[in-house]
Amino acid sequence: AQKVTQAQTEISVVEKEDVTLDCVYETRDTTYYLFWYKQPPSGELVFLIRRNSFDEQNEISGRYSWNFQKSTSSFNFTITASQVVDSAVYFCALGDQTGANNLFFGTGTRLTVIP
Amino acid sequence: DAEITQSPRHKITETGRQVTLACHQTWNHNNMFWYRQDLGHGLRLIHYSYGVQDTNKGEVSDGYSVSRSNTEDLPLTLESAASSQTSVYFCASSAKQGTEAFFGQGTRLTVV
């Protein structure tokens, strides 16, 4: 069955520090998709990134970077030089064929960036 | 710009009443979803649809129903609202399976 674990419930960092949000997933499928979403205090869910299981290349987008490691079933998200605007709840999600490719979400990590 | 909208944004209802939450998307996406968000549980899938006249149960479908009569809309009905259904509800849509979903702004439902 599909499972996404975000073991860090809450993280606090001081502005300009780097922070890594962990995501560990479980699936029996060889084809699957991983996602990160951001939920700021306003409540909407903002799509950040999608990665398929055949693409292990790490990705960088500005201050954001993602490390996908199939060997450890992890898809971690790093924010470099954090800013107050990064304060949000971040969700990791998995879509696989067993689950009809619907998104299964982790429980989220609440990041607070202290000015 | 294409978008996905939910209404109402906030609703208070009484136990036992039927409630319908609306979801409308202009992306022309085939796939539509309803999730509920509760503290400690993240987002859990209630129902989903891959096209007109197609509906499927998700992880937490008991007490909920959906219908898909056109591409744009997937209303969620609570047949007889219960206090356990107090939650924030999100509607989403995606172009095809395996692609990112775009979410509405959410509906905060309180059942008293």
Side-chain angles (χ1 to χ4, degrees):
Chain A
Q2 311 82 6
K3 186 176 181 181
V4 177
T5 302
Q6 295 180 257
Q8 304 153 307
T9 305
E10 296 189 24
I11 301 175
S12 292
V13 298
V14 176
E15 197 171 23
K16 297 184 182 179
E17 288 184 346
D18 300 346
V19 58
T20 296
L21 309 182
D22 297 332
C23 174
V24 175
Y25 61 91
E26 294 178 28
T27 176
R28 294 180 179 177
D29 292 351
T30 56
T31 300
Y32 53 90
Y33 305 90
L34 296 164
F35 304 80
W36 276 95
Y37 283 82
K38 175 182 180 179
Q39 187 176 42
S42 52
E44 73 272 24
L45 283 151
V46 178
F47 165 73
L48 295 178
I49 191 171
R50 168 184 177 269
R51 174 68 74 226
N52 72 54
S53 53
F54 298 107
D55 182 4
E56 286 193 73
Q57 188 173 5
N58 292 328
E59 182 157 339
I60 298 174
S61 176
R63 296 183 297 105
Y64 294 172
S65 63
W66 290 269
N67 184 323
F68 177 28
Q69 291 194 343
K70 290 179 74 171
S71 61
T72 56
S73 297
S74 64
F75 187 42
N76 296 337
F77 174 28
T78 296
I79 302 174
T80 302
S82 60
Q83 300 176 0
V84 173
V85 293
D86 296 326
S87 295
V89 179
Y90 291 87
F91 291 97
C92 181
L94 165 71
D96 67 9
Q97 294 170 325
T98 299
N101 280 308
N102 294 317
L103 297 186
F104 288 86
F105 285 80
T107 52
T109 297
R110 179 178 298 277
L111 173 65
T112 302
V113 181
I114 303 166
Chain B
D1 287 346
E3 60 181 3
I4 179 166
T5 55
Q6 295 181 229
S7 61
R9 295 292 312 280
H10 302 271
K11 185 167 182 68
I12 301 174
T13 191
E14 295 179 343
T15 301
R17 289 192 178 270
Q18 184 180 79
V19 177
T20 297
L21 308 182
C23 175
H24 179 82
Q25 54 99 2
T26 59
W27 293 94
N28 200 34
H29 284 163
N30 285 325
N31 302 337
M32 295 186 73
F33 312 88
W34 274 103
Y35 289 86
R36 61 178 288 175
Q37 183 179 14
D38 304 286
L39 196 63
H41 291 279
L43 285 91
R44 292 180 292 175
L45 184 63
I46 304 172
H47 281 285
Y48 60 99
S49 168
Y50 289 152
V52 176
Q53 303 301 331
D54 176 73
T55 60
N56 306 279
K57 294 181 179 180
E59 180 187 3
V60 290
S61 61
D62 287 350
Y64 303 95
S65 64
V66 294
S67 61
R68 186 88 180 272
S69 58
N70 58 51
T71 300
E72 295 80 17
D73 299 289
L74 187 70
L76 177 71
T77 297
L78 286 69
E79 303 294 343
S80 177
S83 58
S84 60
Q85 295 177 308
T86 292
S87 186
V88 179
Y89 291 85
F90 285 96
C91 179
S93 71
S94 68
K96 60 181 181 180
Q97 294 171 330
T99 61
E100 61 271 23
F102 295 94
F103 284 79
Q105 294 176 299
T107 295
R108 183 175 296 276
L109 176 68
T110 303
V111 183
V112 298

